[in-house]
Amino acid sequence: MVKGANVGLAALSEGDGSVDAVTVILGWSSPSGDGDADVSVLLLTDEGKVRDNADFFFYNNPTAADGSVQLLGQSPTEVGTEDRIQLDLTAVPDGIERLVIAASRHQRAPFGQLDNLRLELADLGGERLLGFSITDADSESGFVFGEIYRRNQEWKFRAIGQGYDTGLAGLATDFGIEIEDDAAEEAAAERLAVDGADEAAVAVPASGAAAVAAEAEAGGALSAPTAGPTAETQATTPGPVAGNAPAAADAATDSTAADSASAAPKRLRTARKKVTLPKAAKPSLAENDAWNTARLFPATALNRDREREVRATSVLLSVMAQVPEFGRRLTAAFGAPAGRMETFTEVSLPHGETPKRPDGVIRVERAGRLWTALVESKTNGNPLKAEQVQDYMDIAARRGYEAVITLSNDVALEGSPLVQVKIDGRRKHKVLLAHLSWAEVAYQAKMLIRHEGVGNPAHAWLLQELLHYLQHDNSGCHGFQNMGPAWVPVRKGIDDETLAAGDERATLVVESWERLVRQVCLQLGGELGVKVLPVQRTRRGEDARARRTALADRLCADGRLDAEIRIEDAPGTIVIAADLRVGKLRTSAEIPAPEQGYPLSWAKRLVRQLAEAPADLHIETLTDGAAAGPRGTLEKLRPEPGDLLPKDSARITGFRLSLVKGMGSTRGNAESGFIRSVDAAVERFRTGVLVHLDQRTARRA
């Protein structure tokens, strides 16, 4: 589609001419790898305004109670990042005439920094219905991509592509939302904090020995580092603009001022919801650690793969049906409506001469409409079988079911399906084949019980019991846990220097590496309650297969696997480098130099912030000169931070922080395995280094 064009959704349907629900997909790629955006939806009346702030859905308000809107979150793709929105048009309230689909960037970063900016609509079967690309993005920090609107009792889509230089606040204000401009406040607060930290250094110009003395005084102005998430949870609640405490006290004693305050319009805060740490558990009543807590879903007696598979499927499906937030979270991305859910196990369905028994069935009912998915699950690293999945796809197509969901330890990759199935193009009814990993299930459970909250205490307890079961050593639900059969011969080929470019086994290892990195992101995201995504440095038109082949050839040439992980609001991107030649894992991050102050102040501040970091942390100064900058371990730099200053007076552009450890050699997740060593290396770098850094030292320019 082109800007300004419109089309009726019914005209895009191959079925009965109706489209009751759609998935909106906003996508982009980033040459730098750290580009990000946040989607939003506004429900508008025929006057072009929201009814109130509750009609604005964004990162702090992701789901409508009536199921009409649900922001499904981001996921990496072959060419960048996609953010999905599920819209149930049958649930849109009367009086709502338009659903505006928009996106904005944090701290008003320009959309011109992103490539391949696009919107797509898909039906519940995953079939792409239309696409609209924005090719003229420049300085805009907010964009209205398009809208779905009613016209003569029919839903239509219009491609808009209108930009706003004022970001989320600007586009929301246009539609009647009273916004507290937190992006501007955050930027101002950062500038103030950095200015304050360097004020002593900037105020007194000095040279030679006097400059060193001045910098020594300035080094003491560092604010305390943030070591972890805070307990603030009020960012999502609309409320009056906060004033200072004395003014509020005066207003409370003055009836006229109080009346004025009560009449003031409520403004919506766009500051991101702060993560709330779970409350500390009450002391156990057990006499000693040998007393095991009774569990709703025990896993200790499981000793056969079939037992693990049946138990895990039944436990998961039962909790999905009893905890609506959880069931909806797992099925919305597959087109399920928000409605009453029932789940079943070991259902017998006719198929030729021999009935088939999928591991589970999920049914959701809303307004008389049924949505049904067959579930095929595997545990303990067992692979999915293509013939089984093919049978279930055929059954679903014949019976009019909407989806087949596979569930296993593997993590799915775009362009590299876990099983190959044949789709009969002659059938009008399309069936979605989707995959969930056990790591994704655990991630969604963690997000709900540790960060977003579950309203019903009994539901929260059920989720906690589910999570305990999934994490039990005997459950078989530990996510991706095997680098595959190509791992050992590829490592041997690297050691013997016999691995040559073009070897298909190297491509298989690269795919396994990508799966591992995605699982690391899921684990970190669940623990931290923020977006954690692998960095994709891709450009428009880049083919995933060609990209993986190029990475495989590089693996053959230098024996390295590389990846980058971006943690939302973290100071710096985590770079992971696995050197298979020497058996070492390096985790690192580059921290840009502050924009103001003296270099010695920067070095002292950095060393002070890393007071509790591992002594073997490597710090390297990055400069704009041709020669490498000074480097050393934290242990040696603590008494002499000035050793980080280049001798040739080259301009410092930043600092690289690195930790190195030995890596496991086996392909699995045992104590000596490669997978566990990668998990441990990333966690050590995050908890030992990143959490000690002040966010302001790594703010974007």
Side-chain angles (χ1 to χ4, degrees):
M1 296 185 67
V2 297
K3 185 182 294 188
N6 63 78
V7 63
L9 298 188
L12 304 174
S13 172
E14 295 182 2
D16 58 4
S18 65
V19 177
D20 294 332
V22 294
T23 300
V24 181
I25 305 160
L26 300 188
W28 58 87
S29 58
S30 172
S32 65
D34 61 356
D36 199 7
D38 298 297
V39 302
S40 53
V41 177
L42 298 103
L43 306 187
L44 308 182
T45 66
D46 55 4
E47 297 178 350
K49 303 290 184 181
V50 298
R51 296 169 301 180
D52 53 42
N53 288 350
D55 285 340
F56 181 37
F57 299 95
F58 65 121
Y59 44 79
N60 283 341
N61 181 34
T63 305
D66 59 14
S68 59
V69 179
Q70 179 163 348
L71 309 189
L72 302 178
Q74 292 184 2
S75 59
T77 69
E78 299 176 8
V79 294
T81 303
E82 285 184 351
D83 211 332
R84 294 174 176 247
I85 307 165
Q86 187 76 29
L87 299 178
D88 187 346
L89 302 178
T90 64
V92 175
D94 293 336
I96 296 299
E97 300 296 323
R98 298 162 57 196
L99 290 80
V100 172
I101 302 152
S104 58
R105 300 204 63 198
H106 186 48
Q107 293 188 351
R108 298 185 182 175
F111 270 98
Q113 295 175 345
L114 304 180
D115 287 344
N116 201 19
L117 201 59
R118 66 198 183 280
L119 175 148
E120 295 174 313
L121 287 190
D123 61 18
L124 295 184
E127 187 77 15
R128 303 293 168 110
L129 303 176
L130 60 83
F132 167 53
S133 295
I134 296 177
T135 58
D136 57 352
D138 190 10
S139 62
E140 302 90 346
S141 54
F143 254 102
V144 171
F145 281 70
E147 65 179 8
I148 295 175
Y149 63 99
R150 298 186 208 249
R151 181 65 55 84
N152 298 325
Q153 305 304 311
E154 177 190 1
W155 287 107
K156 292 188 170 187
F157 173 79
R158 177 183 291 114
I160 297 178
Q162 178 183 349
Y164 292 78
D165 287 334
T166 49
L168 180 66
L171 68 87
T173 301
D174 259 13
F175 299 112
I177 298 287
E178 292 284 345
I179 288 287
E180 192 68 38
D181 194 356
D182 294 313
E185 290 182 7
E186 288 177 13
E190 287 187 356
R191 287 194 300 270
L192 180 62
V194 174
D195 290 347
D198 291 318
E199 184 177 11
V202 175
V204 183
S207 59
V212 175
E215 293 197 40
E217 290 297 320
L222 178 70
S223 59
T226 302
T230 71
E232 282 188 52
T233 58
Q234 303 303 317
T236 59
T237 305
V241 181
N244 56 48
D250 292 342
T253 59
D254 188 329
S255 60
T256 303
D259 291 342
S260 300
S262 64
K266 293 185 177 181
R267 293 176 178 267
L268 187 71
R269 299 297 303 241
T270 60
R272 292 181 180 274
K273 183 192 300 183
K274 300 293 180 66
V275 173
T276 303
L277 290 174
K279 294 181 180 179
K282 294 181 180 179
S284 174
L285 301 181
E287 288 186 3
N288 55 61
D289 293 341
W291 287 26
N292 294 318
T293 302
R295 291 293 177 185
L296 183 64
F297 310 121
T300 53
L302 298 175
N303 53 28
R304 291 187 301 175
D305 283 347
R306 181 58 183 165
E307 285 182 286
R308 292 187 179 95
E309 183 180 303
V310 171
R311 174 72 65 86
T313 306
S314 183
V315 166
L316 172 62
L317 295 184
S318 64
V319 174
M320 287 173 62
Q322 294 303 315
V323 184
E325 304 99 313
F326 184 60
R328 174 69 175 148
R329 182 71 64 92
L330 290 181
T331 58
F334 308 140
R340 181 174 66 92
M341 178 182 292
E342 285 191 36
T343 54
F344 310 86
T345 59
E346 298 296 319
V347 175
S348 180
L349 297 172
H351 184 65
E353 297 180 357
T354 307
K356 300 299 179 183
R357 299 171 67 90
D359 293 316
V361 178
I362 303 171
R363 302 204 90 173
V364 182
E365 184 273 333
R366 179 181 176 83
R369 179 166 65 93
L370 278 178
W371 179 91
T372 306
L374 304 182
V375 178
E376 170 62 13
S377 67
K378 297 294 181 184
T379 59
N380 212 37
N382 291 314
L384 294 162
K385 296 179 179 179
E387 60 271 20
Q388 282 184 319
V389 178
Q390 183 70 65
D391 287 343
Y392 299 144
M393 288 290 288
D394 293 340
I395 291 171
R398 190 172 61 250
R399 300 177 70 89
Y401 297 162
E402 282 72 21
V404 172
I405 300 172
T406 57
L407 181 62
S408 73
N409 303 87
D410 279 325
V411 178
L413 289 181
E414 298 76 16
S416 180
L418 295 172
V419 290
Q420 297 284 351
V421 297
K422 296 179 180 179
I423 306 297
D424 189 346
R426 296 171 297 177
R427 286 190 172 129
K428 287 188 176 181
H429 180 76
K430 294 182 175 62
V431 178
L432 172 69
L433 177 59
H435 180 75
L436 270 176
S437 72
W438 288 111
E440 290 174 277
V441 174
Y443 163 78
Q444 297 293 359
K446 288 179 183 178
M447 289 297 294
L448 280 172
I449 60 179
R450 296 184 181 179
H451 307 295
E452 298 174 10
V454 180
N456 187 317
H459 290 173
W461 178 75
L462 273 175
L463 279 178
Q464 187 63 57
E465 288 296 297
L466 169 67
L467 188 58
H468 182 272
Y469 177 85
L470 296 177
Q471 295 175 332
H472 194 282
D473 290 339
N474 206 29
S475 70
C477 303
H478 298 293
F480 178 70
Q481 52 187 192
N482 197 309
M483 291 295 288
W487 175 250
V488 173
V490 165
R491 289 209 63 172
K492 188 175 186 304
I494 290 174
D495 291 340
D496 299 341
E497 298 185 359
T498 58
L499 190 66
D503 194 319
E504 184 63 24
R505 295 173 300 179
T507 303
L508 295 177
V509 167
V510 166
E511 290 180 354
S512 294
W513 171 247
E514 287 191 25
R515 290 188 170 97
L516 173 56
V517 171
R518 298 215 180 163
Q519 178 166 288
V520 169
C521 291
L522 287 170
Q523 292 170 341
L524 283 176
E527 293 297 328
L528 302 176
V530 297
K531 287 187 292 187
V532 182
L533 293 171
V535 172
Q536 299 275 24
R537 298 185 186 276
T538 54
R539 291 188 177 276
R540 183 180 304 176
E542 191 169 25
D543 177 71
R545 180 68 183 174
R547 177 176 60 82
R548 289 180 183 132
T549 299
L551 292 174
D553 290 345
R554 196 166 72 189
L555 170 63
C556 296
D558 59 22
R560 279 173 43 124
L561 292 167
D562 297 291
E564 295 177 70
I565 293 175
R566 183 179 71 248
I567 302 175
E568 185 179 33
D569 293 334
T573 297
I574 299 179
V575 179
I576 312 168
D579 193 329
L580 306 188
R581 293 187 189 277
V582 298
K584 297 290 186 181
L585 271 170
R586 177 181 294 271
T587 47
S588 62
E590 292 186 5
I591 309 301
E595 296 174 356
Q596 298 180 357
Y598 288 105
L600 183 58
S601 295
W602 305 342
K604 288 185 175 182
R605 186 178 306 121
L606 179 63
V607 170
R608 189 181 300 108
Q609 288 178 343
L610 296 170
E612 298 183 19
D616 61 339
L617 176 68
H618 221 76
I619 305 179
E620 177 186 358
T621 303
L622 305 177
T623 71
D624 59 359
R631 65 185 70 188
T633 63
L634 181 59
E635 182 179 28
K636 294 182 178 180
L637 290 169
R638 277 171 176 154
E640 293 294 339
D643 289 348
L644 284 171
L645 303 185
K647 304 302 182 184
D648 58 359
S649 301
R651 186 176 68 87
I652 296 176
T653 59
F655 302 92
R656 182 183 292 120
L657 314 178
S658 307
L659 283 176
V660 180
K661 71 181 294 291
M663 68 184 186
S665 57
T666 60
R667 68 185 185 183
N669 69 340
E671 287 292 342
S672 61
F674 176 72
I675 292 174
R676 185 164 296 195
S677 62
V678 172
D679 289 338
V682 173
E683 183 63 9
R684 181 175 184 239
F685 189 80
R686 183 188 70 82
T687 58
V689 180
L690 285 189
V691 297
H692 299 300
L693 293 174
D694 190 332
Q695 174 70 22
R696 292 187 301 269
T697 65
R699 72 189 191 281
R700 296 174 184 171

